[in-house]
Protein backbone atom coordinates (compact mmCIF):
# COMPACT_ATOMS: atom_id res chain seq x y z
CA UNK A 1 0.00 0.00 0.00
CA UNK A 2 2.86 2.39 0.81
CA UNK A 3 4.45 1.66 -2.57
CA UNK A 4 1.18 2.53 -4.38
CA UNK A 5 0.89 5.79 -2.46
CA UNK A 6 4.52 6.61 -3.29
CA UNK A 7 3.94 5.94 -7.01
CA UNK A 8 0.79 8.07 -6.97
CA UNK A 9 2.61 10.96 -5.28
CA UNK A 10 5.54 10.63 -7.69
CA UNK A 11 3.19 10.74 -10.70
CA UNK A 12 1.43 13.82 -9.31
CA UNK A 13 4.79 15.52 -8.72
CA UNK A 14 5.94 14.78 -12.29
CA UNK A 15 2.61 16.05 -13.64
CA UNK A 16 2.89 19.33 -11.71
CA UNK A 17 6.59 19.79 -12.55
CA UNK A 18 6.11 19.50 -16.32
CA UNK A 19 2.85 21.51 -16.37
CA UNK A 20 4.66 24.37 -14.60
CA UNK A 21 7.73 24.09 -16.82
CA UNK A 22 5.98 23.83 -20.19
CA UNK A 23 2.49 25.25 -19.48
CA UNK A 24 0.26 24.98 -22.58
CA UNK A 25 2.90 23.16 -24.66
CA UNK A 26 2.35 19.92 -22.76
CA UNK A 27 -0.86 17.99 -22.28
CA UNK A 28 -0.43 15.14 -19.85
CA UNK A 29 -3.10 13.26 -17.96
CA UNK A 30 -2.82 12.92 -14.22
CA UNK A 31 -3.85 9.24 -14.38
CA UNK A 32 -0.54 7.60 -15.29
CA UNK A 33 1.80 4.99 -13.82
CA UNK A 34 5.37 6.25 -13.80
CA UNK A 35 7.54 3.73 -11.96
CA UNK A 36 10.89 4.75 -13.42
CA UNK A 37 12.52 7.97 -14.51
CA UNK A 38 10.98 10.11 -17.24
CA UNK A 39 12.77 13.06 -18.80
CA UNK A 40 10.84 15.44 -21.05
CA UNK A 41 12.52 18.22 -23.03
CA UNK A 42 10.47 20.59 -25.18
CA UNK A 43 12.30 23.22 -27.21
CA UNK A 44 10.56 26.39 -28.38
CA UNK A 45 7.38 25.98 -30.43
CA UNK A 46 7.21 22.24 -29.69
CA UNK A 47 4.28 20.35 -28.19
CA UNK A 48 3.74 17.05 -26.35
CA UNK A 49 0.41 15.32 -25.77
CA UNK A 50 0.37 12.21 -23.59
CA UNK A 51 -2.90 10.28 -23.33
CA UNK A 52 -4.54 8.49 -20.44
CA UNK A 53 -2.69 5.83 -18.50
CA UNK A 54 0.81 5.77 -19.85
CA UNK A 55 2.87 3.17 -18.01
CA UNK A 56 6.60 3.79 -17.75
CA UNK A 57 9.19 1.45 -16.27
CA UNK A 58 11.88 4.00 -17.16
CA UNK A 59 14.09 5.60 -17.86
CA UNK A 60 12.16 7.11 -20.79
CA UNK A 61 13.37 10.17 -22.70
CA UNK A 62 10.90 12.29 -24.70
CA UNK A 63 12.54 15.13 -26.63
CA UNK A 64 10.80 17.55 -29.01
CA UNK A 65 13.14 19.76 -31.00
CA UNK A 66 12.05 23.23 -32.13
CA UNK A 67 8.63 22.95 -33.77
CA UNK A 68 8.24 19.21 -33.11
CA UNK A 69 4.89 17.71 -32.16
CA UNK A 70 4.68 14.39 -30.31
CA UNK A 71 1.38 12.66 -29.58
CA UNK A 72 1.24 9.51 -27.45
CA UNK A 73 -2.12 7.73 -27.23
CA UNK A 74 -3.94 6.06 -24.35
CA UNK A 75 -2.78 2.89 -22.54
CA UNK A 76 0.79 2.94 -23.88
CA UNK A 77 3.56 0.98 -22.14
CA UNK A 78 7.26 1.88 -22.26
CA UNK A 79 9.79 -0.52 -20.74
CA UNK A 80 13.34 0.42 -19.69
CA UNK A 81 15.51 2.84 -21.67
CA UNK A 82 13.18 4.11 -24.40
CA UNK A 83 14.12 7.27 -26.31
CA UNK A 84 11.93 9.28 -28.68
CA UNK A 85 13.24 12.41 -30.41
CA UNK A 86 10.91 14.49 -32.56
CA UNK A 87 11.83 17.28 -34.98
CA UNK A 88 8.65 17.13 -37.09
CA UNK A 89 5.82 14.90 -35.85
CA UNK A 90 5.62 11.55 -34.08
CA UNK A 91 2.22 9.99 -33.39
CA UNK A 92 1.84 6.82 -31.32
CA UNK A 93 -1.62 5.23 -31.22
CA UNK A 94 -3.52 3.62 -28.36
CA UNK A 95 -2.67 0.35 -26.61
CA UNK A 96 0.93 0.13 -27.87
CA UNK A 97 3.70 -1.73 -26.05
CA UNK A 98 7.39 -0.94 -26.37
CA UNK A 99 10.08 -3.23 -24.94
CA UNK A 100 13.41 -2.01 -23.62
CA UNK A 101 15.92 0.05 -25.62
CA UNK A 102 13.45 1.48 -28.13
CA UNK A 103 14.62 4.39 -30.30
CA UNK A 104 12.24 6.45 -32.44
CA UNK A 105 13.54 9.42 -34.48
CA UNK A 106 11.81 11.37 -37.23
CA UNK A 107 14.93 13.04 -38.61
CA UNK A 108 18.47 12.55 -39.91
CA UNK A 109 21.43 14.83 -40.34
CA UNK A 110 22.02 15.97 -43.90
CA UNK A 111 25.10 14.53 -45.61
CA UNK A 112 26.67 16.46 -48.49
CA UNK A 113 29.90 15.31 -50.16
CA UNK A 114 30.45 12.72 -47.41
CA UNK A 115 30.30 15.46 -44.79
CA UNK A 116 27.68 15.42 -42.04
CA UNK A 117 26.01 18.82 -41.76
CA UNK A 118 24.46 20.24 -38.62
CA UNK A 119 21.13 20.76 -40.40
CA UNK A 120 18.57 17.98 -40.29
CA UNK A 121 15.85 16.70 -42.59
CA UNK A 122 12.73 15.26 -41.02
CA UNK A 123 9.64 13.30 -41.96
CA UNK A 124 6.85 12.28 -39.60
CA UNK A 125 6.51 8.88 -37.94
CA UNK A 126 3.08 7.36 -37.34
CA UNK A 127 2.56 4.25 -35.22
CA UNK A 128 -0.97 2.83 -35.25
CA UNK A 129 -3.02 1.30 -32.46
CA UNK A 130 -2.14 -2.03 -30.81
CA UNK A 131 1.45 -2.10 -32.09
CA UNK A 132 4.03 -4.14 -30.21
CA UNK A 133 7.78 -3.54 -30.54
CA UNK A 134 10.30 -6.00 -29.16
CA UNK A 135 13.57 -5.14 -27.46
CA UNK A 136 16.21 -3.00 -29.19
CA UNK A 137 13.95 -1.71 -31.98
CA UNK A 138 14.82 1.45 -33.93
CA UNK A 139 12.16 3.26 -35.97
CA UNK A 140 13.48 5.83 -38.45
CA UNK A 141 12.03 8.93 -40.11
CA UNK A 142 9.10 8.79 -42.51
CA UNK A 143 7.81 5.40 -41.31
CA UNK A 144 4.17 4.47 -40.82
CA UNK A 145 3.42 1.32 -38.82
CA UNK A 146 -0.11 -0.01 -39.26
CA UNK A 147 -2.53 -1.11 -36.54
CA UNK A 148 -1.78 -4.45 -34.91
CA UNK A 149 1.75 -4.75 -36.35
CA UNK A 150 4.51 -6.56 -34.45
CA UNK A 151 8.15 -5.49 -34.74
CA UNK A 152 10.61 -8.23 -33.80
CA UNK A 153 13.49 -7.68 -31.39
CA UNK A 154 16.67 -6.05 -32.72
CA UNK A 155 14.90 -4.67 -35.82
CA UNK A 156 15.51 -1.40 -37.64
CA UNK A 157 12.33 -0.16 -39.30
CA UNK A 158 13.15 1.98 -42.34
CA UNK A 159 9.99 1.42 -44.42
CA UNK A 160 6.25 1.37 -43.79
CA UNK A 161 4.77 -1.69 -42.06
CA UNK A 162 1.33 -2.82 -43.16
CA UNK A 163 -1.38 -3.42 -40.53
CA UNK A 164 -1.37 -6.82 -38.79
CA UNK A 165 2.07 -7.71 -40.13
CA UNK A 166 5.05 -9.16 -38.29
CA UNK A 167 8.41 -7.72 -39.38
CA UNK A 168 11.95 -8.33 -38.18
CA UNK A 169 15.56 -7.79 -39.17
CA UNK A 170 17.95 -5.06 -40.27
CA UNK A 171 16.31 -3.55 -42.20
CA UNK A 172 12.98 -4.94 -40.99
CA UNK A 173 11.22 -7.12 -43.54
CA UNK A 174 7.86 -8.87 -43.50
CA UNK A 175 7.85 -12.27 -41.80
CA UNK A 176 4.14 -12.97 -42.03
CA UNK A 177 0.65 -11.52 -41.74
CA UNK A 178 -1.34 -11.95 -38.57
CA UNK A 179 -5.08 -11.65 -38.04
CA UNK A 180 -4.62 -11.08 -34.33
CA UNK A 181 -5.77 -7.91 -32.67
CA UNK A 182 -3.22 -7.50 -29.90
Amino acid sequence: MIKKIYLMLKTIFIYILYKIKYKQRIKIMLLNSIKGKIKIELEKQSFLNIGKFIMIKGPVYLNCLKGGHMIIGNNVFFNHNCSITCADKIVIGDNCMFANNLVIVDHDHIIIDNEIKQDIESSSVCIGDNVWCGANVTITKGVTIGNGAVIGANSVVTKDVMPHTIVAGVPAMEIKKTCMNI
Side-chain angles (χ1 to χ4, degrees), residues 123-180:
S123 182
S124 62
V125 171
C126 183
I127 299 172
D129 297 335
N130 304 303
V131 171
W132 182 76
C133 290
N136 305 308
V137 167
T138 298
I139 300 170
T140 63
K141 71 176 177 145
V143 169
T144 297
I145 299 176
N147 294 340
V150 176
I151 313 300
N154 300 309
S155 296
V156 177
V157 183
T158 60
K159 295 185 176 161
D160 291 353
V161 176
M162 297 301 294
H164 306 288
T165 302
I166 299 171
V167 300
V170 180
M173 299 177 78
E174 183 176 325
I175 303 296
K176 68 179 182 177
K177 296 277 187 192
T178 177
C179 296
M180 298 179 0

Side-chain angles (χ1 to χ4, degrees), residues 3-63:
K3 187 174 182 178
K4 287 184 181 182
I5 293 170
Y6 168 76
L7 288 175
M8 181 182 72
L9 292 173
K10 178 181 177 181
T11 300
I12 291 169
F13 175 76
I14 290 168
Y15 170 85
I16 291 169
L17 173 73
Y18 285 118
K19 286 300 281 182
I20 290 170
K21 185 173 182 179
Y22 295 119
K23 298 176 181 45
Q24 299 300 319
R25 295 190 301 124
I26 189 168
K27 182 178 178 187
I28 185 170
M29 297 295 170
L30 188 55
L31 181 59
N32 287 306
S33 177
I34 301 173
K35 294 182 179 180
K37 178 182 174 185
I38 181 171
K39 183 174 182 183
I40 298 172
E41 292 183 20
L42 302 179
E43 292 184 12
K44 292 180 180 181
Q45 302 168 343
S46 62
F47 179 79
L48 173 64
N49 183 354
I50 298 175
K52 296 177 190 171
F53 202 70
I54 188 173
M55 185 184 297
I56 293 175
K57 287 284 200 169
V60 169
Y61 305 96
L62 305 175
N63 185 14

Side-chain angles (χ1 to χ4, degrees), residues 80-164:
H80 302 284
N81 203 34
C82 295
S83 176
I84 305 173
T85 304
C86 174
D88 182 24
K89 186 173 188 178
I90 295 176
V91 177
I92 297 173
D94 297 336
N95 308 307
C96 293
M97 297 182 296
F98 300 102
N100 51 304
N101 302 317
L102 169 81
V103 174
I104 302 173
V105 292
D106 68 351
H107 59 281
D108 281 328
H109 286 277
I110 296 171
I111 300 174
I112 299 174
D113 298 326
N114 292 326
E115 186 178 322
I116 299 171
K117 303 297 180 183
Q118 206 158 10
D119 293 332
I120 59 173
E121 57 185 7
S122 59
S123 182
S124 62
V125 171
C126 183
I127 299 172
D129 297 335
N130 304 303
V131 171
W132 182 76
C133 290
N136 305 308
V137 167
T138 298
I139 300 170
T140 63
K141 71 176 177 145
V143 169
T144 297
I145 299 176
N147 294 340
V150 176
I151 313 300
N154 300 309
S155 296
V156 177
V157 183
T158 60
K159 295 185 176 161
D160 291 353
V161 176
M162 297 301 294
H164 306 288

